[in-house]
Amino acid sequence: MTSNNMVNIYLYTRYERFWHWMQTALILLLLVTGFELNGLFTLFGFKAAAEIHNYSGLTWLILFAFFVFWLFTTGEWQQYVPTTRKMLSVIRYYTYGIFRGEPHPVPKRKDAKHNPLQRLAYLFVLVLINPLIWITGWFYLFYSSWSDWGVSWLSLEYVAMFHVIGAFMMLIFLIAHVYLATAGHTPTAHIKAMITGWEEVED
């Protein structure tokens, strides 16, 4: 038991933390190399950036497949089921209450790690952002095979455009995610929890 009516609980398993930080590293690497390929700056060089980007994307897909398998074999998929219960209270908290030192309306629990706003955001990533990036990236990677697949009518320009749109959507999500990660009872509480697995929550 910690002070100020807080308790320390083991919230995130070793695999969850591994998945979280590996995905973070891969997404950052994909964003950096992707923006370099679009000519925003030079860091790795075009050829190296393209290779890093392609291998990182494939690694991300494989890692996500293992994550989905883990979700359904452990029952943790229930943590991501969207709900509107207390949604307005959570939105009010992040836009107003947090600046007044109010308690979070939906404290974290072992069986409810994500609040309604987080669940909705993760659903948005899962059903829109990720598929948009993966599908356009796949077509981009195998452009030379389009005629064999019977999709030569596709426009490379539009595939590339939607791929970049997906990248910017992911970047916006990442920025919002980092902001919310500092919105615990201390600025580093959530980040520390994702490193150690243990987090202080309201009793």
Side-chain angles (χ1 to χ4, degrees), residues 125-182:
V125 170
L126 183 63
V127 302
L128 180 61
I129 300 180
N130 282 359
L132 179 61
I133 292 173
W134 291 338
I135 293 171
T136 55
W138 191 261
F139 277 107
Y140 213 156
L141 182 61
F142 295 102
Y143 172 68
S144 59
S145 301
W146 285 13
S147 57
D148 297 333
W149 297 348
V151 293
S152 54
W153 49 268
L154 280 175
S155 167
L156 182 61
E157 180 183 358
Y158 280 106
V159 169
M161 180 183 71
F162 281 108
H163 193 66
V164 172
I165 288 174
F168 274 105
M169 292 170 70
M170 180 60 77
L171 179 60
I172 292 171
F173 169 80
L174 189 63
I175 292 171
H177 190 66
V178 170
Y179 163 69
L180 293 179
T182 64

Side-chain angles (χ1 to χ4, degrees), residues 47-89:
K47 183 179 179 180
E51 291 180 352
I52 294 171
H53 193 81
N54 293 340
Y55 283 118
S56 297
L58 291 172
T59 303
W60 185 24
L61 274 174
I62 295 170
L63 189 69
F64 191 82
F66 277 102
F67 180 65
V68 171
F69 175 78
W70 177 83
L71 283 177
F72 284 96
T73 54
T74 60
E76 286 292 304
W77 61 270
Q78 298 174 76
Q79 300 273 4
Y80 296 87
V81 175
T83 177
T84 57
R85 187 171 180 267
K86 293 193 175 182
M87 175 70 77
L88 294 179
S89 298

Side-chain angles (χ1 to χ4, degrees), residues 22-41:
M22 276 295 295
Q23 180 179 231
T24 301
L26 288 169
I27 289 175
L28 288 174
L29 197 55
L30 284 164
L31 286 171
V32 170
T33 53
F35 289 141
E36 178 173 2
L37 291 173
N38 278 274
L40 294 184
F41 51 81

